[in-house]
Coordinates of all heavy atoms in Angstrom, one line a residue:
Chain B
V473 N -2.1 13.5 0.3 CA -2.6 12.3 -0.2 C -1.6 11.6 -1.1 O -1.0 12.2 -1.9 CB -3.9 12.6 -1.1 CG1 -4.4 11.3 -1.7 CG2 -5.0 13.3 -0.3
A474 N -1.3 10.4 -0.8 CA -0.3 9.6 -1.6 C -1.1 8.6 -2.4 O -1.9 7.9 -1.9 CB 0.6 8.9 -0.6
T475 N -0.8 8.7 -3.7 CA -1.5 7.7 -4.5 C -0.5 6.7 -5.2 O 0.6 7.1 -5.5 CB -2.1 8.5 -5.8 OG1 -2.6 9.7 -5.2 CG2 -3.2 7.8 -6.5
I476 N -1.0 5.5 -5.3 CA -0.1 4.5 -5.9 C -0.7 4.2 -7.3 O -1.9 3.8 -7.4 CB 0.0 3.2 -5.1 CG1 0.5 3.5 -3.8 CG2 0.8 2.2 -5.8 CD1 1.0 2.3 -3.0
V477 N 0.2 4.4 -8.3 CA -0.3 4.2 -9.7 C 0.4 3.1 -10.3 O 1.7 2.9 -10.1 CB 0.1 5.5 -10.4 CG1 -0.3 5.4 -11.9 CG2 -0.7 6.7 -9.8
E478 N -0.3 2.3 -11.0 CA 0.4 1.1 -11.6 C 0.5 1.4 -13.1 O -0.5 1.9 -13.7 CB -0.5 -0.2 -11.5 CG 0.2 -1.4 -12.1 CD -0.6 -2.7 -12.0 OE1 -1.7 -2.6 -11.4 OE2 -0.2 -3.7 -12.5
L479 N 1.7 1.2 -13.7 CA 1.9 1.6 -15.0 C 1.6 0.4 -16.0 O 1.7 -0.7 -15.6 CB 3.4 2.0 -15.2 CG 3.8 3.1 -14.3 CD1 5.3 3.1 -14.1 CD2 3.3 4.4 -14.8
S480 N 1.3 0.8 -17.2 CA 1.0 -0.3 -18.1 C 2.3 -1.0 -18.5 O 3.4 -0.5 -18.4 CB 0.3 0.2 -19.4 OG 1.2 1.0 -20.0
E481 N 2.1 -2.3 -19.0 CA 3.3 -3.2 -19.3 C 4.3 -2.5 -20.1 O 5.5 -2.8 -20.0 CB 2.7 -4.4 -20.0 CG 3.4 -5.6 -19.6 CD 3.0 -6.8 -20.4 OE1 1.9 -7.1 -20.3 OE2 3.9 -7.3 -21.2
G482 N 3.9 -1.7 -21.0 CA 4.9 -1.1 -22.0 C 6.0 -0.3 -21.2 O 7.1 -0.2 -21.7
F483 N 5.7 0.1 -20.0 CA 6.7 0.9 -19.3 C 7.7 0.1 -18.5 O 8.7 0.7 -17.9 CB 6.0 1.9 -18.4 CG 5.4 3.0 -19.2 CD1 4.0 3.3 -19.0 CD2 6.0 3.8 -20.1 CE1 3.3 4.2 -19.7 CE2 5.4 4.8 -20.8 CZ 4.1 5.0 -20.6
Y484 N 7.4 -1.1 -18.3 CA 8.4 -1.8 -17.5 C 8.9 -3.1 -18.2 O 9.6 -3.9 -17.6 CB 7.9 -2.2 -16.1 CG 6.7 -2.9 -16.0 CD1 6.7 -4.3 -16.0 CD2 5.4 -2.2 -15.8 CE1 5.4 -5.0 -16.0 CE2 4.2 -3.0 -15.8 CZ 4.3 -4.4 -15.8 OH 3.1 -5.0 -15.7
A485 N 8.4 -3.3 -19.4 CA 8.9 -4.5 -20.1 C 10.1 -4.1 -20.9 O 10.1 -3.1 -21.6 CB 7.8 -5.0 -21.1
Q486 N 11.2 -4.8 -20.7 CA 12.4 -4.5 -21.3 C 12.4 -4.9 -22.8 O 12.0 -5.9 -23.2 CB 13.5 -5.2 -20.6 CG 14.0 -4.4 -19.5 CD 15.5 -4.3 -19.5 OE1 16.2 -5.2 -20.0 NE2 16.1 -3.2 -19.0
N487 N 12.9 -4.0 -23.6 CA 13.0 -4.2 -25.0 C 14.4 -4.6 -25.3 O 15.4 -4.0 -24.7 CB 12.7 -2.8 -25.7 CG 11.9 -3.0 -26.9 OD1 11.8 -4.1 -27.5 ND2 11.3 -1.9 -27.3
R488 N 14.6 -5.5 -26.2 CA 16.0 -5.9 -26.4 C 16.9 -4.8 -26.9 O 18.1 -4.7 -26.5 CB 16.0 -7.1 -27.4 CG 16.4 -8.4 -26.9 CD 16.7 -9.4 -27.9 NE 15.9 -10.5 -27.8 CZ 15.9 -11.5 -28.7 NH1 16.6 -11.4 -29.7 NH2 15.1 -12.5 -28.6
N489 N 16.5 -4.2 -27.9 CA 17.3 -3.2 -28.5 C 17.5 -1.9 -27.8 O 18.1 -1.0 -28.2 CB 16.8 -2.9 -29.9 CG 17.6 -3.7 -30.9 OD1 18.7 -4.0 -30.7 ND2 17.0 -4.0 -32.1
E490 N 16.6 -1.8 -26.7 CA 16.5 -0.5 -26.1 C 17.9 0.1 -25.7 O 18.1 1.3 -25.9 CB 15.6 -0.7 -24.8 CG 15.1 0.7 -24.4 CD 14.0 0.5 -23.4 OE1 13.2 -0.4 -23.5 OE2 14.0 1.4 -22.5
R491 N 18.7 -0.7 -25.0 CA 19.9 -0.2 -24.5 C 20.7 0.5 -25.7 O 21.2 1.6 -25.5 CB 20.8 -1.3 -23.9 CG 20.6 -1.5 -22.4 CD 21.8 -2.2 -21.8 NE 22.9 -1.2 -21.7 CZ 23.5 -1.0 -20.6 NH1 23.2 -1.7 -19.6 NH2 24.5 -0.1 -20.5
N492 N 20.8 -0.2 -26.7 CA 21.6 0.3 -27.8 C 21.0 1.6 -28.4 O 21.7 2.6 -28.6 CB 21.7 -0.7 -29.0 CG 22.5 -1.9 -28.5 OD1 23.3 -1.8 -27.7 ND2 22.1 -3.1 -29.1

Side-chain angles (χ1 to χ4, degrees):
Chain B
V473 176
T475 316
I476 298 194
V477 177
E478 184 182 356
L479 303 163
S480 66
E481 218 187 295
F483 291 122
Y484 57 85
Q486 272 228 331
N487 221 341
R488 247 196 238 175
N489 260 331
E490 198 169 324
R491 266 203 80 130
N492 292 332

